[in-house]
Amino acid sequence: MAKLIDGKAIAAEIRREIAADTEKFKKENGYAPGLAVVIVGEDPASQVYVRNKHRACEEVGFYSRGYELPADTDEKTLLALIDELNGDDSIHGILVQLPLPRHLDEEKILLAIDPKKDVDAFHPYNVGRIMIGNYDFLPCTPAGVMALLERSGVTIEGKECVVVGRSNIVGKPQALLLLEKNGTVTVCHSRTKNLREVCRRADILVAAIGKPEFFDSSYIKEGAVVIDVGMNRRPADGKLCGDVDFASVEPIASAITPVPGGVGPMTITMLMKNTFTAAKKQGAKV
């Protein structure tokens, strides 16, 4: 029977730590860390994420500001807003909610964010710093996975780590962070041959492909730690599920994250951590 890695509990613990640090920060500097969240259009999932981010800011004592722009907002208008926020001393972190409407150049928009305020860590400058292991910010979901492993007592050094998924947001940075902690890392993707056999070598498996309950027990080595980054709807009943078939995997894994309640709560928590780091870096006394 696997140990359940409780992302809700770990996220709550980290947020309490951030809130305490923020209280000290405000006393010593006279202002709160500030986060600006920009959303373009009315994507329902994005709106939920944005509301959750504002609630998290309130919880840890940050100043937050939201910008809800219509779906037909042109590139010039959005770039002008980002430029304004780059120069606003009360805003230490800028997040542009993805995905953007198709008529907007996502790469151009992300490049416009000052790297010092890039709390999603998507700017090429920050991506490059992660590559060489000298970074201020980490992408929020991979950082959340690392915090879950660390606070659950999982040793990474010397372990066979398999990451399934090679996105710029999760898979690639996740592999780099595991490598930094001296894991032996294999990255798998849609063109990987013998995927099941590769996964069965993993002491730590990170599943991030966006396919509902794809990984059943036949993919899992007995005693493996299984981290499920997926967030899907089960076709049969529409309920939330991960990339891992929890029912079949949980009996043979040593530890596993549930969906929901595993990696999900950690992502916004790591955004709070990045924002606090950004505030400290931008001329604060702390």
Side-chain angles (χ1 to χ4, degrees), residues 82 86 94 110-119 123 126:
I82 292 171
N86 282 338
I94 301 169
L110 294 178
L111 277 170
I113 298 172
D114 184 336
K116 297 191 299 293
K117 298 188 177 188
D118 169 39
V119 288
H123 193 287
N126 287 321

Side-chain angles (χ1 to χ4, degrees), residues 42 54 92 98 113 121 203 206 259:
E42 299 179 353
H54 286 305
H92 306 100
L98 303 180
I113 298 172
D203 300 308
V206 181
V259 177

Side-chain angles (χ1 to χ4, degrees), residues 8-169:
K8 284 184 180 178
I10 293 172
E13 179 182 44
I14 295 172
R15 290 191 195 192
R16 286 193 294 271
E17 293 168 5
I18 296 170
D21 289 341
T22 299
E23 190 63 31
K24 179 183 176 185
F25 180 98
K26 289 193 284 191
K27 287 178 181 177
E28 296 189 8
N29 294 284
Y31 60 89
L35 175 68
V37 179
V38 180
I39 181 172
V40 184
E42 299 179 353
D43 179 72
S46 292
Q47 290 182 328
V48 171
Y49 292 144
V50 168
R51 285 197 298 272
N52 289 341
K53 286 163 186 170
H54 286 305
R55 278 199 292 265
C57 285
E58 289 180 9
E59 183 181 340
V60 300
F62 290 179
Y63 166 64
S64 68
R65 200 186 300 163
Y67 295 86
E68 297 187 15
L69 306 180
D72 61 356
T73 298
D74 60 40
E75 200 167 85
K76 183 179 178 181
T77 301
L78 181 53
L79 288 171
L81 173 58
I82 292 171
D83 186 57
E84 177 186 324
L85 294 171
N86 282 338
D88 187 336
D89 290 340
S90 69
I91 295 297
H92 306 100
I94 301 169
L95 184 148
V96 176
Q97 185 67 44
L98 303 180
L100 289 169
R102 290 184 179 181
H103 69 280
L104 296 172
D105 185 336
E106 191 171 287
E107 183 179 0
K108 188 174 181 180
I109 299 304
L110 294 178
L111 277 170
I113 298 172
D114 184 336
K116 297 191 299 293
K117 298 188 177 188
D118 169 39
V119 288
D120 256 338
F122 290 164
H123 193 287
Y125 174 82
N126 287 321
V127 173
R129 292 192 66 182
I130 294 164
M131 179 68 187
I132 63 174
N134 178 24
Y135 48 78
D136 293 324
F137 312 125
L138 292 171
C140 298
T141 297
V145 169
M146 298 305 288
L148 286 177
L149 292 171
E150 178 185 347
R151 294 192 181 224
S152 300
V154 176
T155 301
I156 297 169
E157 183 169 349
K159 298 292 180 65
E160 288 272 356
C161 305
V162 174
V163 178
V164 190
R166 55 177 169 178
S167 72
N168 292 332
I169 295 173

Side-chain angles (χ1 to χ4, degrees), residues 266-281:
M266 297 297 292
T267 298
I268 294 179
T269 299
M270 293 299 106
L271 173 65
M272 300 298 105
K273 187 173 182 180
N274 282 348
T275 303
F276 185 78
T277 298
K280 286 195 298 181
K281 291 285 182 180

